[in-house]
Amino acid sequence: MTQLLLIRPRPQEDELFSSWLVRLAWSNGEKLHVFCRNRLKMSRGTWYRDPDRLAGPETIKLSAAATGLSEDCLLATTLSNYEGALYERHVRDGVARWIMPIGVKNRSRYLHGQQCCVDCLREDAAPYFRRFWRVAFMVACPRHGRLLLDACPSCGAPVSFHEGDFARRFTSDACLITRCSHCLMDLRQHVAPAAEPEFVRFQSDLAAAITTRWSVLPGDTAIYSLAFFDGLHHLLRVLSSNTKTRHIRTLLLHDESQFAFPTPFATSAMRFENLRVHDRYVLMKLLVRVMADWPWRFCEYCHRAHLSRSELMDYRRPCPYWLESEMKWHLNNHSYHPSVAERQAVKGYLSAHGMSCSTNNVARWLGAWYVSHGKERGLAEKPAC
């Protein structure tokens, strides 16, 4: 039977699993990795990957046994709890939609997937890292209206709070969760720039949709959050792409008197989730403009950019109906092809009124392509070359 720890702090509101583990280890006066291996009996590879995505039933069970907390309480701190609201299926390894990668190498992080609000950390009695700071569309704090921080302002290193006791003697003063693990600057000293109020309101609505699992489109159309976020992800892919769809981004920025820019993707495999916070902030503001008058403004910019439905679709995965239906209706440049039922209905009408039911006449009544009798006679009388 696992012995209960002497000090057992509970996870705070929306706290991240890794943040809680760090506070648990340091409050018991032990270094993080030794604590997780010896006291919680976790595998050595826990911190060689992303513990917030990787944490499974066995890890949760071991942590619950050592702290006396319920497994549901600890499971709510992991990113897998977004399953069914933000994305359909939680992915423990590889590419995850909406979740920013942290890039673990030898227990250190080289990507900027961990964000924080310095104002929240400054106000916390016991500073901790929130779960929603790992979500890609969260670029500003809903409470303070300031941009999140994804790197140390002093040395530029990624935010990596779990490395506070790496290669140094453990003391309560040296190991603070708010310190940069490289230059030891306290992140709470930084003053982040303010975000636009309209954007903060839009982002707050997105955060509420995760909680309620419902969202409302312009026109008071209620939609399940999973389909809503799938559509937003598709729109952000269009706005961030450097392919032909980049013309929409160029036009939107031009109308705001801003210079267009290529999205800083290092490789073609990079996605919106890989971008730094300021780049995502620019793209999210463009999304706010597109969604403000849905779907008319989006269709207007697509027409100005000479983009059709086929150029906006991603055929590797299905597009949600609320987005695909608008593109199909407003941006479909294909010729009209009447269905069999439509042709049968027109034939019945023509027959009932004593008119010709020929294929050519049916097509004319349907507004589809047909050959007029005059043109037919002209083609018949035209001599062969």
Side-chain angles (χ1 to χ4, degrees):
M1 181 177 179
T2 305
Q3 185 178 1
L4 286 176
L5 297 171
L6 181 62
I7 302 176
R8 306 183 297 275
R10 291 184 62 85
Q12 302 194 60
E13 183 181 359
D14 198 46
E15 183 168 10
L16 199 60
F17 181 64
S18 57
S19 171
W20 174 75
L21 283 179
V22 170
R23 292 196 306 112
L24 181 66
W26 291 355
S27 62
N28 281 274
E30 296 189 30
K31 301 188 76 169
L32 176 64
H33 295 275
V34 176
F35 175 83
C36 290
R37 190 166 61 249
N38 296 340
R39 304 295 293 274
L40 299 184
K41 309 302 179 183
M42 292 183 179
S43 66
R44 297 176 62 90
T46 299
W47 292 96
Y48 286 90
R49 296 158 79 182
D50 187 344
D52 300 305
R53 289 176 56 188
L54 183 66
E58 184 62 27
T59 302
I60 297 298
K61 184 177 181 180
L62 291 172
S63 302
T67 57
L69 299 173
S70 67
E71 294 184 21
D72 290 340
C73 175
L74 296 182
L75 189 63
T77 66
T78 66
L79 296 175
S80 63
N81 208 40
Y82 284 135
E83 184 176 272
L86 188 59
Y87 42 73
E88 184 175 3
R89 183 175 61 87
H90 178 66
V91 179
R92 300 176 67 189
D93 295 301
V95 176
R97 179 174 288 196
W98 290 120
I99 303 300
M100 293 182 295
I102 56 176
V104 181
K105 184 178 182 181
N106 296 331
R107 298 186 300 177
S108 297
R109 298 176 179 179
Y110 61 90
L111 295 180
H112 299 81
Q114 179 63 67
Q115 306 177 114
C116 66
C117 171
V118 293
D119 294 275
C120 288
L121 295 176
R122 193 181 300 120
E123 293 178 358
D124 290 338
Y128 68 98
F129 281 71
R130 277 72 167 167
R131 209 164 42 110
F132 70 84
W133 288 345
R134 287 290 304 276
V135 179
F137 63 72
M138 299 299 294
V139 297
C141 177
R143 179 178 177 181
H144 299 99
R146 295 186 177 274
L147 293 183
L148 300 180
L149 191 69
D150 66 351
C152 173
S154 176
C155 66
V159 176
S160 188
F161 57 84
H162 75 288
E163 298 182 42
D165 59 8
F166 278 23
R168 59 176 61 96
R169 186 183 298 275
F170 177 83
T171 63
S172 58
D173 294 332
C175 296
L176 293 176
I177 202 169
T178 58
R179 285 190 185 275
C180 171
S181 58
H182 292 260
C183 69
L184 300 183
M185 173 190 174
D186 195 330
L187 302 178
R188 294 175 293 185
Q189 298 174 359
H190 178 68
V191 179
E196 295 180 4
E198 181 185 4
F199 172 78
V200 176
R201 288 193 294 270
F202 177 78
Q203 188 187 251
S204 299
D205 292 340
L206 297 184
I210 298 178
T211 305
T212 61
R213 304 205 172 197
W214 286 96
S215 183
V216 179
L217 291 172
D220 296 329
T221 303
I223 185 173
Y224 188 43
S225 66
L226 190 59
F228 178 66
F229 285 120
D230 279 351
L232 289 190
H233 196 274
H234 187 95
L235 289 174
L236 284 170
R237 183 190 66 81
V238 169
L239 292 173
S240 63
S241 175
N242 288 325
T243 60
K244 189 177 179 180
T245 60
R246 72 184 185 279
H247 297 308
I248 299 180
R249 181 173 72 244
T250 301
L251 291 170
L252 285 165
L253 290 171
H254 180 268
D255 289 350
E256 292 186 349
S257 300
Q258 297 184 31
F259 290 108
F261 64 94
T263 310
F265 289 142
T267 65
S268 59
M270 291 185 68
R271 301 151 32 256
F272 174 75
E273 291 82 356
N274 296 92
L275 296 174
R276 297 289 302 274
V277 62
H278 288 91
D279 295 320
R280 285 184 284 112
Y281 178 50
V282 172
L283 294 172
M284 286 295 296
K285 286 196 297 181
L286 299 183
L287 180 65
V288 172
R289 289 194 59 198
V290 166
M291 294 297 296
D293 189 21
W294 180 261
W296 311 114
R297 185 171 294 173
F298 173 69
C299 295
E300 174 196 345
Y301 278 98
C302 288
H303 287 307
R304 287 173 59 186
H306 305 290
L307 293 173
S308 64
R309 169 179 171 269
S310 61
E311 293 166 318
L312 298 169
M313 292 294 294
D314 183 3
Y315 294 98
R316 293 170 297 180
R317 57 178 62 90
C319 187
Y321 175 78
W322 69 269
L323 176 59
E324 200 274 339
S325 60
E326 300 295 351
M327 292 194 295
K328 185 176 181 180
W329 182 258
H330 298 286
L331 303 173
N332 195 348
N333 294 338
H334 292 171
S335 301
Y336 170 59
H337 298 288
S339 65
V340 175
E342 289 175 315
R343 292 185 181 276
Q344 292 295 335
V346 171
K347 280 186 178 180
Y349 175 83
L350 295 176
S351 177
H353 290 78
M355 291 183 280
S356 172
C357 297
S358 66
T359 302
N360 193 49
N361 199 36
V362 170
R364 183 173 66 84
W365 275 79
L366 285 168
W369 184 88
Y370 71 97
V371 179
S372 65
H373 291 296
K375 188 175 181 181
E376 245 181 339
R377 287 193 298 270
L379 291 173
E381 296 171 359
K382 185 176 180 180
C385 296

